[in-house]
Coordinates of all heavy atoms in Angstrom, one line a residue:
G8 N 55.3 23.1 9.2 CA 54.7 21.9 8.8 C 53.2 21.8 9.1 O 52.6 20.9 8.7
G9 N 52.7 22.7 9.9 CA 51.3 22.6 10.3 C 50.5 23.0 9.0 O 50.8 23.4 8.1
G10 N 49.1 22.7 9.3 CA 48.2 22.8 8.2 C 46.8 22.2 8.6 O 46.6 21.7 9.8
L11 N 46.0 22.2 7.6 CA 44.7 21.4 7.7 C 44.8 20.1 7.0 O 45.3 19.9 5.9 CB 43.7 22.3 6.8 CG 42.2 21.7 6.7 CD1 41.6 21.7 8.1 CD2 41.3 22.6 5.9
V12 N 44.3 19.1 7.7 CA 44.2 17.8 7.2 C 43.0 17.1 7.7 O 42.4 17.4 8.7 CB 45.5 17.0 7.9 CG1 45.5 16.8 9.3 CG2 45.6 15.6 7.1
Q13 N 42.5 16.2 6.9 CA 41.2 15.4 7.2 C 41.6 14.4 8.2 O 42.7 13.8 8.3 CB 40.7 14.7 6.0 CG 40.1 15.8 5.1 CD 39.4 15.1 3.9 OE1 39.5 14.0 3.7 NE2 38.6 15.9 3.1
A14 N 40.6 14.0 9.0 CA 40.7 12.8 10.1 C 41.2 11.6 9.3 O 40.8 11.3 8.2 CB 39.5 12.6 10.8
G15 N 42.2 11.0 9.8 CA 42.8 9.8 9.4 C 44.0 10.1 8.6 O 44.8 9.2 8.2
G16 N 44.3 11.3 8.3 CA 45.4 11.7 7.4 C 46.6 11.9 8.3 O 46.7 11.5 9.5
S17 N 47.7 12.4 7.8 CA 49.1 12.5 8.2 C 49.6 13.9 8.0 O 49.3 14.5 7.0 CB 49.9 11.4 7.7 OG 49.5 10.1 8.0
L18 N 50.5 14.4 9.0 CA 51.3 15.5 8.8 C 52.6 15.3 9.5 O 52.7 14.5 10.4 CB 50.7 16.7 9.5 CG 49.4 17.5 8.7 CD1 49.0 18.6 9.7 CD2 50.0 18.1 7.5
T19 N 53.5 15.9 9.0 CA 54.8 15.9 9.6 C 55.2 17.3 9.9 O 55.3 18.1 9.1 CB 56.0 15.2 8.8 OG1 55.6 13.9 8.4 CG2 57.3 15.3 9.3
R67 N 50.8 6.4 17.2 CA 50.4 7.3 16.1 C 51.5 8.2 15.7 O 51.7 8.7 14.4 CB 49.1 8.0 16.4 CG 47.9 7.1 16.7 CD 46.7 7.9 16.7 NE 46.8 8.9 17.9 CZ 46.4 10.2 17.7 NH1 46.0 10.8 16.5 NH2 46.5 11.1 18.7
F68 N 52.2 9.0 16.7 CA 53.1 9.9 16.4 C 54.6 9.4 16.7 O 54.8 8.5 17.6 CB 52.9 11.1 17.4 CG 51.7 11.9 17.3 CD1 50.7 11.5 16.4 CD2 51.5 13.1 17.9 CE1 49.5 12.3 16.1 CE2 50.2 13.9 17.7 CZ 49.5 13.5 16.8
M83 N 53.0 12.6 12.4 CA 51.7 12.4 13.0 C 51.0 11.5 12.0 O 50.6 12.1 10.9 CB 51.0 13.7 13.2 CG 52.0 14.5 14.3 SD 51.1 15.9 14.8 CE 50.9 17.0 13.1
N84 N 50.4 10.4 12.4 CA 49.6 9.6 11.5 C 48.2 9.4 12.2 O 48.1 9.6 13.5 CB 50.1 8.2 11.4 CG 51.6 8.4 10.5 OD1 51.7 9.1 9.7 ND2 52.6 7.5 11.0
S85 N 47.2 8.9 11.5 CA 45.9 8.6 12.0 C 45.3 9.8 12.8 O 44.9 9.6 13.9 CB 45.9 7.4 12.8 OG 46.4 6.2 12.1
L86 N 45.5 11.0 12.2 CA 45.0 12.1 13.0 C 43.6 12.1 13.3 O 42.8 11.9 12.5 CB 45.5 13.4 12.2 CG 47.0 13.8 12.3 CD1 47.4 14.6 11.2 CD2 47.2 14.2 13.7
K87 N 43.3 12.7 14.5 CA 41.9 12.8 14.9 C 41.5 14.3 15.0 O 42.4 15.1 15.3 CB 41.6 12.1 16.3 CG 42.2 10.7 16.2 CD 42.2 10.1 17.5 CE 42.7 8.6 17.5 NZ 42.7 8.0 19.1
P88 N 40.2 14.6 15.0 CA 39.9 16.0 15.4 C 40.4 16.6 16.6 O 40.7 17.6 16.8 CB 38.3 15.9 15.2 CG 38.1 14.9 14.3 CD 39.1 13.9 14.5
E89 N 40.5 15.7 17.6 CA 40.9 16.2 19.0 C 42.4 16.4 19.0 O 43.0 16.8 19.9 CB 40.5 15.1 20.1 CG 41.0 13.6 19.6 CD 39.9 12.8 19.2 OE1 39.2 13.3 18.1 OE2 39.7 11.6 19.6
D90 N 43.0 16.1 17.8 CA 44.5 16.6 17.8 C 44.6 18.0 17.4 O 45.9 18.5 17.4 CB 45.2 15.6 16.8 CG 45.4 14.2 17.2 OD1 45.6 13.9 18.4 OD2 45.1 13.3 16.3
T91 N 43.6 18.6 17.0 CA 43.7 20.0 16.7 C 44.2 20.8 17.7 O 43.5 20.8 18.8 CB 42.2 20.5 16.3 OG1 41.7 19.8 15.1 CG2 42.3 22.1 15.9
Y94 N 50.7 23.5 17.9 CA 51.8 22.7 18.3 C 53.1 23.4 18.5 O 53.5 24.3 17.5 CB 52.0 21.5 17.2 CG 51.2 20.5 17.3 CD1 49.7 20.7 17.0 CD2 51.5 19.0 17.7 CE1 48.8 19.8 17.1 CE2 50.5 18.1 17.8 CZ 49.2 18.4 17.5 OH 48.2 17.5 17.5
Q122 N 50.0 25.9 13.7 CA 48.6 25.3 13.8 C 48.4 24.1 13.1 O 48.7 24.0 11.9 CB 47.7 26.4 13.3 CG 46.1 26.1 13.4 CD 45.5 25.9 14.7 OE1 45.8 26.6 15.6 NE2 44.8 24.8 15.1
V123 N 47.8 23.2 13.8 CA 47.4 21.8 13.1 C 45.9 21.8 13.3 O 45.4 21.7 14.5 CB 48.2 20.6 13.7 CG1 47.4 19.2 13.3 CG2 49.5 20.6 13.4
T124 N 45.1 21.6 12.3 CA 43.8 21.5 12.3 C 43.3 20.3 11.5 O 43.6 20.0 10.4 CB 43.0 22.7 11.6 OG1 43.5 23.9 12.2 CG2 41.5 22.6 11.7
V125 N 42.6 19.4 12.3 CA 42.2 18.2 11.9 C 40.7 18.2 11.6 O 39.9 18.3 12.6 CB 42.5 16.8 12.6 CG1 42.1 15.6 12.0 CG2 44.0 16.9 12.9
S126 N 40.1 18.1 10.4 CA 38.7 18.1 10.2 C 38.3 16.8 10.1 O 38.8 15.9 9.7 CB 38.5 18.8 8.8 OG 38.9 18.2 7.8
S127 N 36.8 16.7 10.4 CA 36.1 15.5 10.4 C 35.3 15.3 9.0 O 34.9 14.2 8.6 CB 35.2 15.3 11.5 OG 34.2 16.4 11.5

Side-chain angles (χ1 to χ4, degrees):
L11 175 65
V12 64
Q13 292 185 348
S17 299
L18 279 176
T19 298
R67 297 191 299 128
F68 293 9
M83 305 186 294
N84 300 320
S85 302
L86 283 162
K87 307 172 182 178
E89 51 262 47
D90 294 318
T91 296
Y94 283 65
Q122 176 71 46
V123 173
T124 302
V125 183
S126 66
S127 59

